[in-house]
Amino acid sequence: MADNASSDDSIGFVAREYPWVRIVRSNRNLGFSAANNLAGKEALGKFILLLNADTVLVEPIGPAVDWLDGHPEYAVLTINMVNGERVPSACTGRFPSPLRLILLGNMLMAPEQFGDKYAYEVDWVQGSFLLMRGEQWSALGGLDENYFMYVEDVDLCKRVRDRGLKCAYLPQIRYIHFGGYSAARFSEQVRGLSIYISHHMSGMRRLVSWGILCSGCLVRAIFFRARVLLVGDEKTRTMSRASWLAFKGLLHMGWSF
C-alpha cells in the first residue's frame, strides 16, 4: 500500500487493523503515477493491482485474475466500476484523437454500450482498478511519472497496445468507487491530455489535437465566465477558474509543440 504523505490517521488505522499489509510511505505527495510506481517496485507477486483507497470490492476478483492469466494476448484488465448507489459508471474508453478531443466525453465508453458477454476489448481502463501482469508492468516501467494525476492510465494502455497487447473489461465483477471527478481538477485532466498528445502523436495530427484542446478550454473559460456574471454560484466559479488555468497552462506548454 502506498501512502502519499497523508495527514490523517489512515496509515495508523491500516497498520493496527491489517498488520499484514505492507505500507510504502512517502514524505510528500508524489501524485498518482509516482506513488503507484513506488509501491510497484516492492511488489513480488505475479500480478499487480492498482486499486484506489476509496474503493470497495463487491465480488471476489479471483475470476478476473484467472481470466487474465488464461489470455496472454491481454496485458491489462479492469472490472465494472459502480458508485455508492451501485450504479455503473464509465471506467473504460477510446484513445484520444482530434475528433474525440472536440468533446472530451467522447473518449469514455458508457456501461450501456456493453452487452452480456463476459469480457470486452477496450482501448484503455481507469487506474482506480487496473490489473496487470507484474512482468509486463516492469517491462513498461510502470506509469509515466510525467503525469501527476489523470491520463496516466490512458498512456499506460497505449504503451501496452503499441507492444501488440490488449486491454479487457469484465462487467460481471464489480467494485465500488466512492471518489468522483472534481471540477477543480479539470486543469489537471487537460494537462494530462496535453502530455499524452506530445508523447503519442506527431506531425499535423499532434498540432491539430493541441489546437482543438486549447480552443475547447478557451470556449469553456469564456462560457463559465459568462455564467459567473449571470449566476455566480461556487460550482460555476470553480469551473471558470479551472478552465482559465487549463487554457493558460496549454499556452505555456504550446511552445514545446
Side-chain angles (χ1 to χ4, degrees):
M1 176 180 177
D3 175 58
N4 240 344
S6 60
S7 57
D8 57 13
D9 188 44
S10 56
I11 291 303
F13 172 81
V14 172
R16 290 191 304 271
E17 301 296 325
Y18 306 97
W20 50 269
V21 173
R22 185 175 182 184
I23 301 171
V24 181
R25 293 180 171 89
S26 171
N27 57 11
R28 62 187 179 89
N29 187 353
L30 300 174
F32 186 85
S33 297
N36 276 289
N37 285 348
L38 188 65
K41 291 175 182 177
E42 303 294 325
L44 301 176
K46 182 177 180 180
F47 295 92
I48 284 181
L49 173 63
L50 307 190
L51 186 67
N52 277 20
D54 55 349
T55 59
V56 175
L57 299 175
V58 179
E59 285 97 15
I61 64 169
V65 176
D66 292 341
W67 190 93
L68 185 59
D69 196 28
H71 293 78
E73 71 275 23
Y74 286 85
V76 171
L77 180 147
T78 196
I79 58 177
N80 191 353
M81 183 178 77
V82 300
N83 61 22
E85 287 72 43
R86 307 295 177 95
V87 177
S89 303
C91 62
T92 66
R94 305 176 182 88
F95 291 129
S97 67
L99 183 60
R100 290 171 187 149
L101 286 170
I102 295 176
L103 294 173
L104 296 181
N106 284 351
M107 288 186 293
L108 293 172
M109 299 181 72
E112 296 78 18
Q113 294 179 243
F114 300 98
D116 298 326
K117 291 199 306 182
Y118 188 76
Y120 293 85
E121 180 182 345
V122 294
D123 282 357
W124 60 267
V125 309
Q126 192 175 111
S128 53
F129 183 109
L130 190 153
L131 181 66
M132 190 172 188
R133 292 182 185 84
E135 61 181 4
Q136 290 166 341
W137 169 271
S138 298
L140 288 168
L143 297 170
D144 186 337
E145 295 183 13
N146 287 297
Y147 301 88
F148 185 82
M149 178 182 291
Y150 295 123
V151 194
E152 69 290 315
D153 41 17
V154 184
D155 174 273
L156 178 70
C157 294
K158 180 65 168 65
R159 289 185 285 131
V160 163
R161 178 66 65 86
D162 289 344
R163 286 173 172 251
L165 298 169
K166 304 176 183 179
C167 301
Y169 169 58
L170 273 59
Q172 288 78 9
I173 306 171
R174 298 170 299 162
Y175 75 105
I176 301 172
H177 188 197
F178 290 102
Y181 175 76
S182 169
R185 294 176 175 174
F186 175 73
S187 60
E188 295 175 16
Q189 180 190 28
V190 169
R191 181 179 182 277
L193 285 170
S194 66
I195 295 172
Y196 179 94
I197 291 170
S198 68
H199 287 186
H200 298 289
M201 297 183 188
S202 60
M204 186 58 65
R205 189 166 179 263
R206 182 178 180 181
L207 289 174
V208 170
S209 295
W210 181 84
I212 290 172
L213 191 60
C214 192
S215 300
C217 288
L218 178 59
V219 170
R220 287 173 68 98
I222 294 172
F223 171 77
F224 283 110
R225 180 57 182 167
R227 280 186 58 86
V228 166
L229 298 176
L230 294 173
V231 181
D233 63 282
E234 187 55 34
K235 182 178 179 180
T236 303
R237 292 180 187 277
T238 299
M239 277 307 305
S240 176
R241 288 192 294 266
S243 298
W244 280 115
L245 184 62
F247 176 66
K248 289 189 289 186
L250 284 172
L251 288 182
H252 177 74
M253 294 183 68
W255 295 108
S256 65
F257 280 79

